[in-house]
Amino acid sequence: MVHRRLAALAAATGVAAAMVLGAAPAQAWPGDSTVMTYGDDGCDGDQLATIYALAPNGEWLSGNFGPWGGYALTFTHVPAHGESVRFDVFCGTTGYHSTQRWVNRPNVGTSLHVDL
């Protein structure tokens, strides 16, 4: 009888602790290779942009972005030491530009500000 009461008390304490503590917020960790890059697309004024990104590991991304001047692309295989990524930007009215940017895993979170 005493063992049942102790087991019930332990179970109730565990449930109460879980309710009080809740789930821990998601954080980046050194082994997380997913990184969202975001920033200014480098197109002058309000125009549409198409961006292609090619990483040395073969990861290839593309996206079409609206006239607000920003972009966001999510890489899923960023190596622990980072990598130099080629971004090709096609601006709706002002033409094309290409740039190399360093993409690494951030120490906190999973996003990295990278202007093009």
Side-chain angles (χ1 to χ4, degrees):
M1 183 87 157
V2 172
H3 293 294
R4 281 189 190 161
R5 287 187 180 171
L6 288 175
L9 179 61
T13 303
V15 169
M19 290 173 57
V20 169
L21 297 176
Q27 295 292 324
W29 55 283
D32 189 355
S33 64
T34 299
V35 176
M36 181 192 74
T37 58
Y38 69 95
D40 187 281
D41 59 19
C43 297
D44 295 328
D46 296 335
Q47 54 185 304
L48 301 176
T50 299
I51 300 174
Y52 298 97
L54 178 61
N57 66 8
E59 187 169 11
W60 183 85
L61 303 171
S62 67
N64 296 311
F65 302 95
W68 58 87
Y71 83 97
L73 293 171
T74 301
F75 294 86
T76 57
H77 302 293
V78 176
H81 59 277
E83 61 190 347
S84 181
V85 175
R86 176 182 168 159
F87 291 90
D88 294 316
V89 182
F90 295 86
C91 303
T93 57
T94 58
Y96 161 84
H97 69 274
S98 180
T99 188
Q100 292 281 133
R101 294 289 186 258
W102 189 257
V103 174
N104 61 285
R105 298 177 184 181
N107 291 329
V108 177
T110 58
S111 58
L112 182 68
H113 184 234
V114 179
D115 287 335
L116 306 177

